[in-house]
mmCIF file of all heavy atoms in Angstrom:
data_model
loop_
_atom_site.group_PDB
_atom_site.id
_atom_site.type_symbol
_atom_site.label_atom_id
_atom_site.label_comp_id
_atom_site.label_asym_id
_atom_site.label_seq_id
_atom_site.Cartn_x
_atom_site.Cartn_y
_atom_site.Cartn_z
ATOM 1 N N ALA Y 1 3.228 -1.291 3.802
ATOM 2 C CA ALA Y 1 4.168 -0.840 4.828
ATOM 3 C C ALA Y 1 5.610 -0.926 4.324
ATOM 4 O O ALA Y 1 6.415 -0.028 4.571
ATOM 5 C CB ALA Y 1 4.000 -1.665 6.097
ATOM 6 N N ARG Y 2 5.939 -1.982 3.596
ATOM 7 C CA ARG Y 2 7.299 -2.159 3.080
ATOM 8 C C ARG Y 2 7.638 -1.066 2.073
ATOM 9 O O ARG Y 2 8.735 -0.493 2.111
ATOM 10 C CB ARG Y 2 7.437 -3.538 2.438
ATOM 11 C CG ARG Y 2 8.867 -3.884 2.068
ATOM 12 C CD ARG Y 2 9.032 -5.298 1.523
ATOM 13 N NE ARG Y 2 8.472 -6.290 2.428
ATOM 14 C CZ ARG Y 2 7.469 -7.114 2.096
ATOM 15 N NH1 ARG Y 2 6.935 -7.047 0.899
ATOM 16 N NH2 ARG Y 2 7.026 -7.998 2.948
ATOM 17 N N ARG Y 3 6.713 -0.751 1.187
ATOM 18 C CA ARG Y 3 6.967 0.313 0.207
ATOM 19 C C ARG Y 3 7.178 1.654 0.905
ATOM 20 O O ARG Y 3 8.014 2.443 0.498
ATOM 21 C CB ARG Y 3 5.804 0.411 -0.775
ATOM 22 C CG ARG Y 3 5.873 -0.592 -1.891
ATOM 23 C CD ARG Y 3 4.738 -0.359 -2.888
ATOM 24 N NE ARG Y 3 4.954 -1.040 -4.133
ATOM 25 C CZ ARG Y 3 4.561 -2.286 -4.386
ATOM 26 N NH1 ARG Y 3 3.946 -2.971 -3.447
ATOM 27 N NH2 ARG Y 3 4.784 -2.829 -5.563
ATOM 28 N N ASP Y 4 6.398 1.909 1.959
ATOM 29 C CA ASP Y 4 6.551 3.152 2.711
ATOM 30 C C ASP Y 4 7.910 3.200 3.399
ATOM 31 O O ASP Y 4 8.586 4.222 3.383
ATOM 32 C CB ASP Y 4 5.424 3.301 3.730
ATOM 33 C CG ASP Y 4 5.484 4.623 4.471
ATOM 34 O OD1 ASP Y 4 5.534 5.667 3.794
ATOM 35 O OD2 ASP Y 4 5.488 4.609 5.713
ATOM 36 N N GLU Y 5 8.335 2.094 4.003
ATOM 37 C CA GLU Y 5 9.640 2.038 4.680
ATOM 38 C C GLU Y 5 10.786 2.241 3.703
ATOM 39 O O GLU Y 5 11.812 2.827 4.051
ATOM 40 C CB GLU Y 5 9.804 0.698 5.390
ATOM 41 C CG GLU Y 5 8.902 0.533 6.596
ATOM 42 C CD GLU Y 5 8.902 -0.893 7.130
ATOM 43 O OE1 GLU Y 5 9.617 -1.753 6.560
ATOM 44 O OE2 GLU Y 5 8.179 -1.150 8.103
ATOM 45 N N GLN Y 6 10.628 1.749 2.484
ATOM 46 C CA GLN Y 6 11.674 1.890 1.467
ATOM 47 C C GLN Y 6 11.687 3.266 0.830
ATOM 48 O O GLN Y 6 12.571 3.582 0.041
ATOM 49 C CB GLN Y 6 11.483 0.839 0.373
ATOM 50 C CG GLN Y 6 11.687 -0.575 0.846
ATOM 51 C CD GLN Y 6 11.277 -1.593 -0.203
ATOM 52 O OE1 GLN Y 6 10.651 -1.268 -1.215
ATOM 53 N NE2 GLN Y 6 11.626 -2.848 0.040
ATOM 54 N N GLY Y 7 10.706 4.088 1.162
ATOM 55 C CA GLY Y 7 10.653 5.448 0.621
ATOM 56 C C GLY Y 7 10.031 5.526 -0.756
ATOM 57 O O GLY Y 7 10.191 6.528 -1.451
ATOM 58 N N THR Y 8 9.320 4.476 -1.166
ATOM 59 C CA THR Y 8 8.644 4.497 -2.459
ATOM 60 C C THR Y 8 7.534 5.539 -2.429
ATOM 61 O O THR Y 8 6.721 5.555 -1.522
ATOM 62 C CB THR Y 8 8.033 3.110 -2.772
ATOM 63 O OG1 THR Y 8 9.065 2.132 -2.721
ATOM 64 C CG2 THR Y 8 7.363 3.094 -4.133
ATOM 65 N N ARG Y 9 7.514 6.379 -3.428
ATOM 66 C CA ARG Y 9 6.483 7.410 -3.500
ATOM 67 C C ARG Y 9 5.186 6.766 -3.996
ATOM 68 O O ARG Y 9 5.122 6.261 -5.114
ATOM 69 C CB ARG Y 9 6.922 8.524 -4.429
ATOM 70 C CG ARG Y 9 5.950 9.651 -4.464
ATOM 71 C CD ARG Y 9 6.441 10.771 -5.314
ATOM 72 N NE ARG Y 9 5.369 11.746 -5.445
ATOM 73 C CZ ARG Y 9 5.575 12.997 -5.632
ATOM 74 N NH1 ARG Y 9 6.793 13.456 -5.726
ATOM 75 N NH2 ARG Y 9 4.571 13.823 -5.754
ATOM 76 N N MET Y 10 4.177 6.799 -3.142
ATOM 77 C CA MET Y 10 2.898 6.190 -3.474
ATOM 78 C C MET Y 10 1.814 7.249 -3.531
ATOM 79 O O MET Y 10 1.908 8.283 -2.889
ATOM 80 C CB MET Y 10 2.503 5.150 -2.419
ATOM 81 C CG MET Y 10 3.386 3.944 -2.366
ATOM 82 S SD MET Y 10 2.778 2.717 -1.189
ATOM 83 C CE MET Y 10 3.082 3.552 0.369
ATOM 84 N N GLY Y 11 0.793 6.950 -4.280
ATOM 85 C CA GLY Y 11 -0.395 7.781 -4.330
ATOM 86 C C GLY Y 11 -1.601 6.921 -4.017
ATOM 87 O O GLY Y 11 -1.489 5.705 -3.825
ATOM 88 N N LEU Y 12 -2.753 7.543 -3.974
ATOM 89 C CA LEU Y 12 -3.973 6.827 -3.660
ATOM 90 C C LEU Y 12 -5.071 7.322 -4.587
ATOM 91 O O LEU Y 12 -5.145 8.513 -4.888
ATOM 92 C CB LEU Y 12 -4.351 7.084 -2.202
ATOM 93 C CG LEU Y 12 -5.497 6.274 -1.646
ATOM 94 C CD1 LEU Y 12 -5.129 5.758 -0.267
ATOM 95 C CD2 LEU Y 12 -6.737 7.120 -1.542
ATOM 96 N N ARG Y 13 -5.893 6.406 -5.077
ATOM 97 C CA ARG Y 13 -7.015 6.771 -5.935
ATOM 98 C C ARG Y 13 -8.303 6.323 -5.248
ATOM 99 O O ARG Y 13 -8.428 5.172 -4.852
ATOM 100 C CB ARG Y 13 -6.875 6.095 -7.288
ATOM 101 C CG ARG Y 13 -7.911 6.554 -8.297
ATOM 102 C CD ARG Y 13 -7.606 6.072 -9.703
ATOM 103 N NE ARG Y 13 -6.388 6.725 -10.170
ATOM 104 C CZ ARG Y 13 -5.373 6.071 -10.735
ATOM 105 N NH1 ARG Y 13 -5.411 4.782 -10.892
ATOM 106 N NH2 ARG Y 13 -4.305 6.731 -11.135
ATOM 107 N N TRP Y 14 -9.237 7.277 -5.103
ATOM 108 C CA TRP Y 14 -10.530 7.004 -4.485
ATOM 109 C C TRP Y 14 -11.590 7.754 -5.260
ATOM 110 O O TRP Y 14 -11.459 8.959 -5.496
ATOM 111 C CB TRP Y 14 -10.517 7.426 -3.015
ATOM 112 C CG TRP Y 14 -11.802 7.275 -2.298
ATOM 113 C CD1 TRP Y 14 -12.459 6.108 -2.018
ATOM 114 C CD2 TRP Y 14 -12.607 8.320 -1.746
ATOM 115 N NE1 TRP Y 14 -13.620 6.359 -1.331
ATOM 116 C CE2 TRP Y 14 -13.739 7.722 -1.144
ATOM 117 C CE3 TRP Y 14 -12.488 9.693 -1.694
ATOM 118 C CZ2 TRP Y 14 -14.721 8.456 -0.516
ATOM 119 C CZ3 TRP Y 14 -13.471 10.427 -1.068
ATOM 120 C CH2 TRP Y 14 -14.567 9.804 -0.478
ATOM 121 N N ARG Y 15 -12.605 7.050 -5.704
ATOM 122 C CA ARG Y 15 -13.699 7.634 -6.478
ATOM 123 C C ARG Y 15 -13.199 8.434 -7.678
ATOM 124 O O ARG Y 15 -13.588 9.576 -7.905
ATOM 125 C CB ARG Y 15 -14.591 8.497 -5.597
ATOM 126 C CG ARG Y 15 -15.344 7.708 -4.560
ATOM 127 C CD ARG Y 15 -16.320 8.582 -3.828
ATOM 128 N NE ARG Y 15 -17.085 7.789 -2.868
ATOM 129 C CZ ARG Y 15 -17.935 8.306 -2.020
ATOM 130 N NH1 ARG Y 15 -18.158 9.601 -1.993
ATOM 131 N NH2 ARG Y 15 -18.580 7.529 -1.176
ATOM 132 N N ASN Y 16 -12.277 7.844 -8.415
ATOM 133 C CA ASN Y 16 -11.703 8.427 -9.637
ATOM 134 C C ASN Y 16 -10.946 9.729 -9.415
ATOM 135 O O ASN Y 16 -10.781 10.520 -10.336
ATOM 136 C CB ASN Y 16 -12.786 8.634 -10.709
ATOM 137 C CG ASN Y 16 -13.356 7.328 -11.170
ATOM 138 O OD1 ASN Y 16 -12.640 6.324 -11.259
ATOM 139 N ND2 ASN Y 16 -14.637 7.300 -11.443
ATOM 140 N N ARG Y 17 -10.509 9.990 -8.187
ATOM 141 C CA ARG Y 17 -9.671 11.164 -7.905
ATOM 142 C C ARG Y 17 -8.348 10.684 -7.352
ATOM 143 O O ARG Y 17 -8.283 9.718 -6.599
ATOM 144 C CB ARG Y 17 -10.344 12.084 -6.892
ATOM 145 C CG ARG Y 17 -11.553 12.804 -7.491
ATOM 146 C CD ARG Y 17 -12.096 13.844 -6.594
ATOM 147 N NE ARG Y 17 -11.150 14.951 -6.459
ATOM 148 C CZ ARG Y 17 -11.313 15.936 -5.600
ATOM 149 N NH1 ARG Y 17 -12.354 15.952 -4.797
ATOM 150 N NH2 ARG Y 17 -10.441 16.905 -5.516
ATOM 151 N N ASP Y 18 -7.293 11.374 -7.719
ATOM 152 C CA ASP Y 18 -5.954 11.035 -7.238
ATOM 153 C C ASP Y 18 -5.605 11.863 -6.019
ATOM 154 O O ASP Y 18 -5.902 13.056 -5.962
ATOM 155 C CB ASP Y 18 -4.913 11.279 -8.340
ATOM 156 C CG ASP Y 18 -5.057 10.279 -9.474
ATOM 157 O OD1 ASP Y 18 -5.474 9.135 -9.205
ATOM 158 O OD2 ASP Y 18 -4.748 10.641 -10.621
ATOM 159 N N TYR Y 19 -4.965 11.212 -5.063
ATOM 160 C CA TYR Y 19 -4.554 11.848 -3.818
ATOM 161 C C TYR Y 19 -3.086 11.545 -3.554
ATOM 162 O O TYR Y 19 -2.594 10.469 -3.905
ATOM 163 C CB TYR Y 19 -5.397 11.334 -2.640
ATOM 164 C CG TYR Y 19 -6.847 11.719 -2.728
ATOM 165 C CD1 TYR Y 19 -7.756 10.935 -3.428
ATOM 166 C CD2 TYR Y 19 -7.313 12.879 -2.129
ATOM 167 C CE1 TYR Y 19 -9.090 11.293 -3.517
ATOM 168 C CE2 TYR Y 19 -8.658 13.237 -2.214
ATOM 169 C CZ TYR Y 19 -9.531 12.440 -2.913
ATOM 170 O OH TYR Y 19 -10.846 12.798 -3.003
ATOM 171 N N GLU Y 20 -2.421 12.498 -2.937
ATOM 172 C CA GLU Y 20 -1.042 12.320 -2.489
ATOM 173 C C GLU Y 20 -1.077 11.857 -1.038
ATOM 174 O O GLU Y 20 -1.799 12.413 -0.214
ATOM 175 C CB GLU Y 20 -0.295 13.653 -2.581
ATOM 176 C CG GLU Y 20 1.114 13.604 -2.072
ATOM 177 C CD GLU Y 20 1.755 14.987 -2.073
ATOM 178 O OE1 GLU Y 20 1.294 15.872 -2.808
ATOM 179 O OE2 GLU Y 20 2.714 15.156 -1.310
ATOM 180 N N ILE Y 21 -0.290 10.833 -0.727
ATOM 181 C CA ILE Y 21 -0.250 10.332 0.645
ATOM 182 C C ILE Y 21 0.641 11.255 1.472
ATOM 183 O O ILE Y 21 1.823 11.408 1.194
ATOM 184 C CB ILE Y 21 0.253 8.881 0.696
ATOM 185 C CG1 ILE Y 21 -0.738 7.969 -0.030
ATOM 186 C CG2 ILE Y 21 0.446 8.430 2.138
ATOM 187 C CD1 ILE Y 21 -0.322 6.517 -0.100
ATOM 188 N N VAL Y 22 0.037 11.887 2.481
ATOM 189 C CA VAL Y 22 0.759 12.797 3.364
ATOM 190 C C VAL Y 22 1.460 12.005 4.462
ATOM 191 O O VAL Y 22 2.613 12.254 4.786
ATOM 192 C CB VAL Y 22 -0.198 13.849 3.978
ATOM 193 C CG1 VAL Y 22 0.521 14.730 4.958
ATOM 194 C CG2 VAL Y 22 -0.849 14.665 2.881
ATOM 195 N N SER Y 23 0.747 11.049 5.053
ATOM 196 C CA SER Y 23 1.363 10.194 6.071
ATOM 197 C C SER Y 23 0.716 8.827 6.064
ATOM 198 O O SER Y 23 -0.461 8.681 5.726
ATOM 199 C CB SER Y 23 1.255 10.824 7.463
ATOM 200 O OG SER Y 23 -0.080 10.790 7.913
ATOM 201 N N LEU Y 24 1.512 7.837 6.426
ATOM 202 C CA LEU Y 24 1.074 6.452 6.503
ATOM 203 C C LEU Y 24 1.624 5.919 7.818
ATOM 204 O O LEU Y 24 2.838 5.856 7.997
ATOM 205 C CB LEU Y 24 1.642 5.693 5.308
ATOM 206 C CG LEU Y 24 1.017 4.360 4.981
ATOM 207 C CD1 LEU Y 24 0.816 4.257 3.487
ATOM 208 C CD2 LEU Y 24 1.895 3.257 5.462
ATOM 209 N N THR Y 25 0.744 5.592 8.779
ATOM 210 C CA THR Y 25 1.180 5.290 10.136
ATOM 211 C C THR Y 25 0.567 3.996 10.650
ATOM 212 O O THR Y 25 -0.640 3.784 10.514
ATOM 213 C CB THR Y 25 0.751 6.431 11.091
ATOM 214 O OG1 THR Y 25 1.169 7.668 10.551
ATOM 215 C CG2 THR Y 25 1.352 6.254 12.459
ATOM 216 N N ASP Y 26 1.407 3.152 11.250
ATOM 217 C CA ASP Y 26 0.931 1.978 11.982
ATOM 218 C C ASP Y 26 0.453 2.499 13.335
ATOM 219 O O ASP Y 26 1.259 2.866 14.185
ATOM 220 C CB ASP Y 26 2.066 0.970 12.139
ATOM 221 C CG ASP Y 26 1.681 -0.245 12.952
ATOM 222 O OD1 ASP Y 26 0.486 -0.443 13.220
ATOM 223 O OD2 ASP Y 26 2.591 -1.006 13.322
ATOM 224 N N ASP Y 27 -0.866 2.547 13.524
ATOM 225 C CA ASP Y 27 -1.454 3.227 14.679
ATOM 226 C C ASP Y 27 -0.902 2.795 16.027
ATOM 227 O O ASP Y 27 -0.416 3.611 16.797
ATOM 228 C CB ASP Y 27 -2.975 3.028 14.695
ATOM 229 C CG ASP Y 27 -3.676 4.017 13.797
ATOM 230 O OD1 ASP Y 27 -3.003 4.865 13.206
ATOM 231 O OD2 ASP Y 27 -4.907 3.924 13.707
ATOM 232 N N ASP Y 28 -1.006 1.541 16.331
ATOM 233 C CA ASP Y 28 -0.643 1.086 17.670
ATOM 234 C C ASP Y 28 0.676 0.335 17.722
ATOM 235 O O ASP Y 28 1.066 -0.159 18.776
ATOM 236 C CB ASP Y 28 -1.766 0.222 18.258
ATOM 237 C CG ASP Y 28 -2.127 -0.939 17.350
ATOM 238 O OD1 ASP Y 28 -1.444 -1.129 16.319
ATOM 239 O OD2 ASP Y 28 -3.095 -1.653 17.656
ATOM 240 N N GLY Y 29 1.363 0.209 16.611
ATOM 241 C CA GLY Y 29 2.627 -0.513 16.576
ATOM 242 C C GLY Y 29 2.461 -2.021 16.608
ATOM 243 O O GLY Y 29 3.434 -2.754 16.658
#
């Protein structure tokens, strides 16, 4: 959450594939 708030560009790797994070949301606050 801190990296997202700071605007750090993050990616995600799942099953040896790279993904770009489109959105990262705290569901209920």
Side-chain angles (χ1 to χ4, degrees):
R2 189 176 306 119
R3 278 184 165 89
D4 184 53
E5 290 170 1
Q6 294 171 349
T8 304
R9 184 176 172 152
M10 293 184 290
L12 188 135
R13 187 169 293 132
W14 176 65
R15 293 186 177 175
N16 295 325
R17 289 188 68 188
D18 291 329
Y19 294 87
E20 177 185 339
I21 296 177
V22 176
S23 71
L24 196 136
T25 309
D26 177 12
D27 277 358
D28 55 5

